[in-house]
Amino acid sequence: VQVVESGGGLVQAGGSLRLSCLVSGLKNFDEYTIGWFRQAPGKEHEGVSCIEGVNGDEYYADFVKGRFIISKDNAKKVVYLQMTGLKPEDTAMYFCAPTGQYFKAQYCEPRNIIIPWGQGTRVTVSS
């Protein structure tokens, strides 16, 4: 299984970005929960948002609720993260990864991912 994250960049505070995660090699992709995670400089990975495969239930960390929206295109095997109202504290490397087949989105924690981290995509928000 491989993931390729893209869409990061440098934006001013208040700006928007849309991240994409292309997943390959994951049989029955639409049955898997896929999440976005991030790692800020000097910090551990943390869960940002996850989306369940079958029913589309979503989870958002408190620090992104109301600003980020996760979605997925099962046909294209892509998971998106629309980020609006970006803040300097959102600056981080963003990664995506599956957490499991029929896995609850609420368990959106780095320890639950089932593949190694990909290369990620860098998001930098200037004040």
Side-chain angles (χ1 to χ4, degrees):
V1 178
Q2 290 187 321
V3 297
V4 178
E5 303 96 337
S6 62
L10 171 63
V11 295
Q12 290 186 332
S16 301
L17 285 172
R18 188 177 81 155
L19 306 184
S20 298
C21 169
L22 177 62
V23 182
S24 61
L26 186 62
K27 190 177 180 181
N28 301 323
F29 169 85
D30 56 348
E31 295 174 357
Y32 280 81
T33 298
I34 310 291
W36 281 98
F37 305 85
R38 71 186 188 186
Q39 185 179 32
K43 295 188 177 181
E44 298 293 320
H45 288 86
E46 60 183 352
V48 175
S49 180
C50 287
I51 184 167
E52 292 185 20
V54 177
N55 59 20
D57 281 359
E58 302 164 12
Y59 162 86
Y60 296 93
D62 286 343
F63 51 79
V64 302
K65 278 182 181 176
R67 300 189 297 125
F68 292 9
I69 297 175
I70 192 170
S71 62
K72 65 195 304 250
D73 185 328
N74 286 331
K76 296 181 178 178
K77 298 187 178 181
V78 176
V79 179
Y80 302 99
L81 187 68
Q82 179 67 50
M83 306 188 296
T84 60
L86 283 162
K87 305 175 181 180
E89 51 264 44
D90 293 318
T91 294
M93 284 292 292
Y94 283 72
F95 304 86
C96 70
T99 55
Q101 198 173 16
Y102 304 116
F103 204 74
K104 295 296 290 182
Q106 65 189 81
Y107 302 119
C108 193
E109 303 170 29
R111 61 178 177 174
N112 292 326
I113 69 169
I114 59 172
I115 63 171
W117 295 114
Q119 292 189 332
T121 186
R122 184 177 300 278
V123 172
T124 304
V125 185
S126 62
S127 56

